[in-house]
Amino acid sequence: MDFVGNDGGRSRSAQTAPDGLQLAFTSKQHPITVHMLEHDAQVFNDMREIMTADVLCASNNTLWDSWNAPNFGPEIRSAWKHYKDFNADFLEAVGAQLEKAPGTLALVQDYQLSVFPVMIRRRHAGVPVLLFIHIPWPAADYWCMLPTYLRTEFIEGMLGVSVVGFFAARWCRNFVDCVHDLLPDSVVNRDAGTVEYRGHVTTVAAMPLGYSPQAIEHRSKALSADLQSWAADSFLFVHSGRTDPIKNGARAIAAFRLACKNDEALRERSRFLARCNPNRLYVKANSDYLAQLEREAAHTNSRFGEELVRVVCENNVDHTLGCLQEADALLFNSTIDGQNLTVFEGSLLNHRHATVILSERAGAAEALASSVELINTFDIAELADTLAYAFHLTSEQRNRRAEERRKVVVQYGLLGWVDQQITPLENAV
């Protein structure tokens, strides 16, 4: 197996190991060789900072309000050219591996490489290619906010693959609607989940992923001593996610504050932990989000005269997993999420039969709807009621619900997800 990737612009590995690096943990029978690419610095910066952060992440996570943003100037055209140049760098590297090993399947991961598939098909016709998009796909009207040339070329690039995968069926439906609206020459078969465009047929399919056993089983999982002392014997609500506005922690804290106002027992016997993993805090929206959490926590603690809410932002995986393990209720109220893997991981790790509260706008809601408490992420009153519901559940009720959820979650492991990608490609050969 060959993996082609980059570690940010100029790669020392690309210079020192042009034939690739073999990962030490792989077997001789099934080696994995990693080939790191070197990109022009401006190409890489425009792809990452403009096309990824400012444009595609914002569009697909529906972050624009339409009256203030977006505003596309000439710099977007230059950035879009560099985005395509970035994809072309992968074309050369992947093409070299395909020539060495005829019959190879190509699995392309995420939206940074969305025009790459059509490039491969033009140069290496007949190679089965899958593109998996890890973020949501918006409704057609929202996607149409993008510049005409960009939105059209982007989708045309994606349709160079044999299979396009998303985490959830709702993202598949949105993508197919975009194809139908923007490419009048396409033939869309929603029942079959296929799109025919310029003589090429692409299958669009949902492929849900939940967790990687290796990512959670071999870690030292524990609350920090400080958090253990603070939480003590309280009922612990945990909101977990990166510093990203879509994680919606401010509304979660506001809902907890309302629940405390309405329910004296909850106020006296519970604590709320907003656990953040620092993510690109040099991006203003992300740093503003963290500041907003801290303001909401301070407001709540001032209102009730004690530290009922704590915000912790640190890059410590063991502590993050420890919080998931020790929570009495886990809250994931994202405004939108491609999937949200943490809800699966938390369900497996938790030792206290925690109630799981999940946004109906997360991709994971499709897989877990029957075993979690689904909420409208914008309805603070509803969320406050759900927090109180979780607090007052009996141990027997929590245990039964948690066991039901684990039976669902174990069906969505990493190996099964990879098989979902490989099988349709093998059938396409």
Side-chain angles (χ1 to χ4, degrees), residues 221-223 319-328 330 346 349-354:
K221 301 173 279 289
L223 285 177
H319 285 177
T320 298
L321 298 181
C323 292
L324 298 178
Q325 180 175 271
E326 301 301 329
D328 293 293
L330 289 164
L349 285 170
N350 187 264
H351 286 176
R352 300 177 64 82
H353 307 292

Side-chain angles (χ1 to χ4, degrees), residues 170-186:
R170 72 179 71 180
W171 314 140
C172 295
R173 292 193 296 269
N174 287 352
F175 174 72
V176 169
D177 287 346
C178 285
V179 174
H180 178 268
D181 288 2
L182 297 178
L183 301 179
D185 295 338
S186 64

Side-chain angles (χ1 to χ4, degrees), residues 132-139 164-178 189-194 203-209 337-339 344 360-368 412 417 420:
F132 194 92
I133 301 294
H134 291 249
I135 60 175
W137 194 274
V164 174
F166 295 92
F167 281 129
R170 72 179 71 180
W171 314 140
C172 295
R173 292 193 296 269
N174 287 352
F175 174 72
V176 169
D177 287 346
C178 285
N189 186 329
R190 287 182 172 83
D191 292 335
T194 60
T203 298
V204 183
M207 302 173 181
L209 167 65
D337 240 327
Q339 180 72 333
F344 293 86
E360 63 188 2
R361 285 168 58 88
E366 289 186 5
L368 301 179
Y412 296 99
W417 180 66
Q420 289 180 78

Side-chain angles (χ1 to χ4, degrees), residues 9-24:
R10 298 191 177 279
S11 170
R12 180 179 300 176
S13 300
Q15 299 168 4
T16 59
D19 295 326
L21 301 169
Q22 185 165 321
L23 299 184

